[in-house]
Amino acid sequence: MAGNTEPLSPRARLAVTAGRAAAAVSRAAGRGSGSVIGGRVALRLDPDLLARLAQHLDVVLVSATNGKTTTTRLIAEALRAGGEVVSNALGANMPAGITSALAGGSEARFGVIEVDEKYLATVARDVTPKAIALLNLSRDQLDRAGETRMLAERWREGLTGQKAVIIANADDPLVVWAASSSPQVVWVAAGQEWRDDAWSCPACGGVLQWPGEEWMCGECGFRRPTPSWALSGEYVLDPHGSAWPIRLQLPGRANRANAATSTAVAAAFGVPPQVALERMYGVTAVAGRYDVVRHQGRELRLLLAKNPAGWLETFSLIDAPPAPVILSVNARGADGTDTSWLWDVDYSRLAGHPIRVIGDRKLDLAVRLEVAGVDFQVCADANEAVASCPPGRIESISNYTAFQDLRRVVGN
Amino acid sequence: MSNASLRVVWIYPDLLSTYGDQGNVLVVERRARQRGLEVQRTDVRSDQPVPTSGDIYLIGGGEDRPQRLAAERLLRDGGLTRAVNNGAIVFSVCAGYQILGHQFVNDLEQVSPGLGLLDVHSTRGESDRCVGDVLGDIDEQLRLPQLTGFENHQGVTHLGPTARPLARVRLGQGNGTGDGTEGAWNGTVFGTYMHGPVLARNPHIADLLIKLALDVNALPPVDDRWYEALRQERIMAATQPA
Ligand SMILES: [Zn+2]
């Protein structure tokens, strides 16, 4: 165990204590878990606190548009085979939330940290990670997050000369562009179903060709690197060519991809694939996602999809028709106030499912489904939508605040 | 009309497809099919020639570098200009709108030439990005109900004498010139800063494009219930902010 061999400086200790106090006040005032506000207070007292807290940890950072919370959880489970882990498991992924999470793990050996895409470079500079896992980049809440290609560019600049080993998805050209400025990269063929942000070469602007899985730029030669790890159906292939079965309770191809990347990360920390994968089986739900709850005599599966790539992966894991699907979309601050992304999602894939539509922006969704030519029914709220479905399994897919709303309604 | 066919061309989705721009294509396609038209949709990537035989061309928005590349490739290709000279209809959004003008400011802070199909030129805005719901009155010559849309852009577009504003905004920025104009049109070429996508919020504009393509004055009605409900909701939301 590494533990904290050197004590924190008095200033850092004060900052941690002040942060804890602020978090406790925030919790008592009923304003959420308090982790972000605590971290913010602590960072204001000691701006170097994050670096200091991470000093004694073997840190892995996880960033992506989709799957970062789940992957952080899978890696944390795997690394627990080698020692205590501290992690921002609840998804508070900006510097204040990360600081707060680390402050709670003084005895840990490993830090497994989810990082918001926009803060990756900053956090990577502060915490001197041993590894950085990069899963995917695609359009997400454009009115807030800015532009996808610019994000890849910022990752690339921020990662230039990084000493950490970068574990990156070879199947996402934007991720490859971002990672390939780093001296040490482990490529994982983790797949990426969504391609609509990767037609234009991030290096030269030429048109990328995808004759099969092996994408390449016809103009400048930028191409898919040779992966050393790969997701292959229900298996992870390691660099020696051994195939390790993936057994997860989490559904879907995207989660198998997350598991494949997590296995490669675990290996970088000395945890063998078999051990890592066995431990990942224990994960059943991540912050309520994938949970199945009983409500009004039905089994409602809670699925979260925040952007077109996420919706695409979610469509591929739901039960086949006639399983009913409840779709819920909001456009509040955390969702992005712009609903245009609905038009990048291929809702015709839901043909054959009975579809119920709820959420603040149900009319945007109604027009989208009308143009997709699928049948749907607009409902006043979640209870009406559930009541209109026959007993049995219901798939619900929601974006961020709609998901939180639904969890409250069904008592999850 | 049942045997008629409509050729819809989506220009450069690899470069210009940012804010659900595909939605405009899907709405035109859907509403044409509902009128019994056969629709041939062609998505043209920027390494392919632009067909000159299309009826309706749609161009979306994009980031600054892809916009510059798209303009360069469209100028080199020449197909879109030839199509417009043959009477084709073009509907463009944001970066695509700027490309149709005489010039715009590119990612290298230089002036890029556009196609000159609309008498407009674009500059970079001095102030913050224009983001939010927009409400406006469409040019009375077009005889369409009010415009509802969503904008997210920093560009400013100035209209020359032969371009007419597509609308006058009552809420929002539109062209960003401060004179209340939004978008531009001239004959069969249209440009707007509204994404949303704009044709889902304004299906009458999609119908206008189809009517121009078919050279008819009216189309059989379709079920507009959900479009109308959405329009009313967005107009209410824009006029009575929470
Ligand atoms: Zn290239």
Side-chain angles (χ1 to χ4, degrees):
Chain A
M1 271 233 359
N4 272 354
T5 46
E6 287 166 50
L8 289 173
S9 70
R11 187 175 176 77
R13 246 186 338 220
L14 173 69
V16 169
T17 313
R20 286 214 185 107
V25 169
S26 166
R27 272 194 302 273
R31 295 172 58 191
S33 72
S35 75
V36 172
I37 189 166
R40 213 173 284 144
V41 168
L43 273 180
R44 209 175 301 134
L45 282 169
D46 180 358
D48 299 327
L49 181 59
L50 182 53
R52 211 118 13 116
L53 288 169
Q55 206 171 3
H56 308 285
L57 296 168
D58 284 348
V59 170
V60 51
L61 303 181
V62 181
S63 201
T65 303
N66 287 312
K68 51 188 178 290
T69 305
T70 304
T71 304
T72 298
R73 182 70 188 282
L74 294 175
I75 294 171
E77 290 306 323
L79 293 191
R80 282 201 178 99
E84 202 177 312
V85 169
V86 60
S87 180
N88 52 342
L90 295 176
N93 62 12
M94 298 189 216
I98 294 167
T99 302
S100 176
L102 292 191
S106 55
E107 296 306 312
R109 174 178 171 196
F110 299 112
V112 183
I113 300 173
E114 168 186 340
V115 190
D116 180 278
E117 304 90 281
K118 293 182 293 301
Y119 290 94
L120 179 66
T122 320
V123 174
R125 201 180 50 230
D126 284 354
V127 305
T128 328
K130 202 172 162 187
I132 302 176
L134 305 177
L135 314 177
N136 52 69
L137 272 179
S138 65
R139 60 188 67 188
D140 185 29
Q141 302 172 12
L142 285 157
D143 61 322
R144 297 194 322 136
E147 301 169 328
T148 313
R149 199 187 63 83
M150 292 303 292
L151 207 49
E153 203 60 56
R154 274 163 66 187
W155 275 16
R156 184 177 170 85
E157 283 162 20
L159 295 177
T160 304
Q162 231 328 307
K163 291 194 182 67
V165 51
I166 313 291
I167 292 148
N169 186 357
D171 293 321
D172 184 330
L174 287 171
V175 167
V176 172
W177 174 245
S180 53
S181 68
S182 312
Q184 209 190 340
V185 188
V186 173
W187 299 110
V188 182
Q192 163 85 323
E193 222 184 310
W194 173 263
R195 288 182 181 175
D196 286 357
D197 291 303
W199 286 108
S200 186
C201 173
C204 78
V207 179
L208 290 186
Q209 314 295 329
W210 298 75
E213 295 303 306
E214 302 274 336
W215 54 266
M216 70 196 75
C217 172
E219 310 230 342
C220 75
F222 179 63
R223 62 187 305 140
R224 180 182 186 250
T226 307
S228 46
W229 293 78
L231 170 68
S232 176
E234 312 278 322
Y235 294 86
V236 182
L237 307 182
D238 74 14
H240 311 290
S242 304
W244 304 94
I246 302 172
R247 287 195 194 88
L248 288 179
Q249 299 193 60
L250 303 176
R253 193 213 70 82
N255 281 323
R256 289 195 293 278
N258 295 336
T261 303
S262 301
T263 308
V265 170
F269 287 84
V271 177
Q274 190 176 359
V275 176
L277 284 160
E278 272 168 14
R279 298 187 66 90
M280 290 180 213
Y281 180 78
V283 178
T284 53
V286 181
R289 300 160 204 189
Y290 312 111
D291 250 348
V292 179
V293 294
R294 271 194 80 75
H295 188 66
Q296 298 182 11
R298 282 90 169 157
E299 286 87 47
L300 191 65
R301 179 154 62 167
L302 305 176
L303 300 168
L304 173 71
K306 293 184 284 192
N307 48 53
W311 282 81
L312 189 64
E313 295 280 9
T314 304
F315 289 163
S316 69
L317 66 80
I318 60 175
D319 284 358
V325 181
I326 297 176
L327 305 175
S328 184
V329 168
N330 289 348
R332 301 178 199 160
D335 307 307
T337 55
D338 175 3
T339 55
S340 65
W341 58 268
L342 288 170
W343 295 87
D344 291 324
V345 178
D346 182 10
Y347 285 99
S348 67
R349 298 250 316 242
L350 294 179
H353 290 277
I355 300 172
R356 306 288 182 267
V357 175
I358 59 172
D360 295 350
R361 300 305 287 268
K362 52 180 175 271
L363 294 179
D364 289 78
L365 202 44
V367 171
R368 177 68 192 91
L369 294 170
E370 144 66 31
V371 171
V374 297
D375 291 328
F376 61 93
Q377 188 180 321
V378 174
C379 297
D381 55 31
N383 283 323
E384 185 186 310
V386 172
S388 73
C389 297
R393 167 71 78 96
I394 302 172
E395 306 280 16
S396 73
I397 313 176
S398 319
N399 73 340
Y400 190 72
T401 67
F403 184 78
Q404 310 304 344
D405 286 354
L406 187 59
R407 284 181 77 188
R408 270 192 293 278
V409 172
V410 301
N412 173 257
Chain B
M1 209 186 282
S2 63
N3 289 323
S5 77
L6 190 73
R7 286 153 299 182
V8 178
V9 182
W10 186 16
I11 301 285
Y12 296 176
D14 55 316
L15 294 176
L16 300 172
S17 169
T18 309
Y19 298 105
D21 288 308
Q22 184 184 207
N24 289 334
V25 188
L26 293 171
V27 171
V28 169
E29 238 187 307
R30 169 78 171 162
R31 295 181 72 85
R33 288 219 164 89
Q34 284 177 308
R35 270 59 177 259
L37 295 165
E38 208 175 280
V39 179
Q40 284 172 32
R41 166 174 160 183
T42 310
D43 296 359
V44 183
R45 290 194 329 200
S46 66
D47 60 347
Q48 298 168 330
V50 176
T52 54
S53 58
D55 296 305
I56 299 175
Y57 292 77
L58 295 143
I59 314 182
E63 302 175 23
D64 294 347
R65 183 174 79 159
Q67 179 189 25
R68 169 170 55 88
L69 298 174
E72 285 169 10
R73 290 171 197 175
L74 282 170
L75 273 171
R76 202 186 313 141
D77 179 86
L80 185 61
T81 302
R82 281 200 296 281
V84 170
N85 291 340
N86 294 336
I89 291 123
V90 187
F91 187 82
S92 62
V93 171
C94 293
Y97 168 35
Q98 295 190 350
I99 288 173
L100 294 194
H102 301 297
Q103 57 184 53
F104 62 91
V105 179
N106 66 28
D107 58 319
L108 310 172
E109 301 296 330
Q110 298 159 345
V111 171
S112 270
L115 299 183
L117 297 173
L118 270 176
D119 185 16
V120 302
H121 74 275
S122 302
T123 54
R124 207 178 286 283
E126 300 292 310
S127 44
D128 293 343
R129 283 184 87 83
C130 309
V131 183
D133 269 294
V134 175
L135 201 57
D137 298 311
I138 294 185
D139 188 341
E140 58 194 21
Q141 283 195 7
L142 296 171
R143 291 189 298 277
L144 293 175
Q146 60 185 317
L147 177 79
T148 154
F150 192 93
E151 64 183 336
N152 182 354
H153 63 97
Q154 191 146 28
V156 174
T157 294
H158 309 267
L159 273 55
T162 69
R164 292 182 63 92
L166 181 64
R168 300 258 164 202
V169 295
R170 278 194 263 145
L171 270 164
Q173 298 303 315
N175 286 325
T177 45
D179 62 0
T181 64
E182 146 47 28
W185 72 287
N186 179 16
T188 61
V189 182
F190 299 80
T192 176
Y193 273 116
M194 302 300 102
H195 64 87
V198 61
L199 298 185
R201 296 254 201 119
N202 303 274
H204 322 91
I205 301 181
D207 287 355
L208 170 71
L209 304 178
I210 297 169
K211 283 189 274 188
L212 284 169
L214 300 176
D215 198 16
V216 296
N217 289 322
L219 292 171
V222 294
D223 182 358
D224 276 340
R225 186 169 32 138
W226 295 112
Y227 295 98
E228 280 307 323
L230 175 63
R231 283 176 60 77
Q232 292 315 317
E233 182 198 88
R234 294 331 300 160
I235 291 168
M236 285 285 280
T239 49
Q240 302 171 350

